Amino acid sequence: MEKTIYDKELGTILLRTSPRATRYTLKISKGTITATMPLGGNEARMLAFIRENKEKLRAALDKHPARPLLNEETEMQTATFRLHIFCTDRDNFYMKLDDGVLHIACPNQTDFTDKCVQELLKGLLEKALRHEAHRLLPSRLFNLATQHGFTCTGIKIFNSKSHWGSCTPRRSINLSLSLMLLPWHLVDYVLLHELCHTVEMNHSDRFWSLMDKVTDGKSQALRRELKGYHML
């Protein structure tokens, strides 16, 4: 079962059942609450659980608000391009990355509140970010590795929604294409973070000491700054 309800204080709530769920849980992502219950769960009990946690949910929503719609008023500057969405006299959507600007043309009368339109625009933006990530991140990572004496065995680009990057036990590094939404000094912070994991596969004091060494003592300040950014 999966359905959407609306609460005047909490906004959109997705009610769903999951065969893997063993209890009633609440999760917030991009301004939407997902309420999950086990198969055979009681919807009335789920709604009561939401009411019991309303204050906590409101506080969490303040920290994780819904993303604004992508439309003609969107202002976005990524590491390598500025986003320009506009409507024009055409029958389809069109994207072109030119001279530091990602132009996305939309048909006149496009309904930017339509979920399918938002997914399409997000997909076009993701395609451009993936292109830029593959073009620039590998060489940047290997240059930093050489500069600081790290050994990296490989790099992969993913569309991770939960981690800016990760490092495998084999010293291969995975990076999210969302890194291209960051300013370059924070991109480098994430790359150095994962390179440090090729030496320390944890977040021990030794790890943070190494991070301070390669960031001129700015690791904690950069870490706090990164928390102000969100993935695609």
Side-chain angles (χ1 to χ4, degrees):
M1 182 273 289
E2 184 171 305
K3 72 176 185 179
T4 299
I5 63 173
Y6 183 81
D7 182 273
K8 63 181 182 180
E9 295 182 68
L10 301 176
T12 301
I13 302 174
L14 176 64
L15 299 179
R16 60 187 293 269
T17 56
S18 170
R20 293 182 295 177
T22 57
R23 56 194 178 91
Y24 293 76
T25 62
L26 299 169
K27 180 181 178 181
I28 292 177
S29 177
K30 300 176 184 177
T32 299
I33 298 170
T34 298
T36 304
M37 54 187 169
L39 290 176
N42 185 283
E43 183 176 327
R45 181 180 172 188
M46 184 82 257
L47 295 175
F49 185 53
I50 293 171
R51 289 194 297 271
E52 292 167 7
N53 288 275
K54 182 167 283 191
E55 291 303 317
K56 292 181 180 179
L57 289 170
R58 283 197 300 195
L61 284 169
D62 289 339
K63 293 183 179 179
H64 304 282
R67 300 273 181 86
L69 295 176
L70 292 170
N71 56 34
E72 292 175 289
E73 298 178 359
T74 298
E75 295 183 2
M76 179 185 293
Q77 177 65 55
T78 73
T80 60
F81 63 78
R82 176 177 63 84
L83 179 61
H84 173 221
I85 299 175
F86 64 102
C87 287
T88 187
D89 187 17
R90 60 183 301 127
D91 297 327
N92 60 342
F93 291 82
Y94 175 79
M95 175 182 72
K96 181 180 181 181
L97 181 56
D98 181 44
D99 196 25
V101 181
L102 177 65
H103 301 279
I104 299 182
C106 309
N108 284 326
Q109 311 306 318
T110 294
D111 180 4
F112 289 102
T113 64
D114 185 281
K115 183 178 180 181
C116 292
V117 170
Q118 287 298 306
E119 289 299 319
L120 189 152
L121 293 175
K122 185 178 177 182
L124 293 175
L125 176 59
E126 176 186 321
K127 183 178 180 180
L129 292 171
R130 187 185 301 276
H131 174 272
E132 294 295 89
H134 279 285
R135 183 173 71 89
L136 296 169
L137 292 183
S139 60
R140 199 170 185 96
L141 178 72
F142 288 120
N143 285 341
L144 285 171
T146 299
Q147 179 182 342
H148 295 285
F150 293 108
T151 299
C152 173
T153 61
I155 177 175
K156 292 182 180 179
I157 307 294
F158 293 95
N159 187 17
S160 173
K161 309 292 185 183
S162 57
H163 296 88
W164 295 106
S166 61
C167 179
T168 73
R170 295 184 178 183
R171 297 181 180 178
S172 178
I173 291 177
N174 304 317
L175 298 174
S176 171
L177 59 87
S178 286
L179 280 173
M180 301 309 297
L181 296 171
L182 302 176
W184 280 116
H185 70 285
L186 290 181
V187 173
D188 287 344
Y189 165 78
V190 174
L191 300 184
L192 288 168
H193 186 108
E194 301 313 326
L195 286 170
C196 284
H197 277 315
T198 65
V199 177
E200 296 289 343
M201 291 293 294
N202 50 54
H203 288 108
S204 64
D205 289 343
R206 291 194 304 273
F207 170 83
W208 287 111
S209 177
L210 185 56
M211 277 296 294
D212 273 333
K213 181 179 178 180
V214 298
T215 61
D216 295 324
K218 299 176 182 177
S219 66
Q220 293 304 316
L222 292 168
R223 182 187 185 191
R224 289 191 295 271
E225 185 179 353
L226 181 62
K227 290 181 179 180
Y229 290 83
H230 302 284
M231 297 181 180
L232 186 64

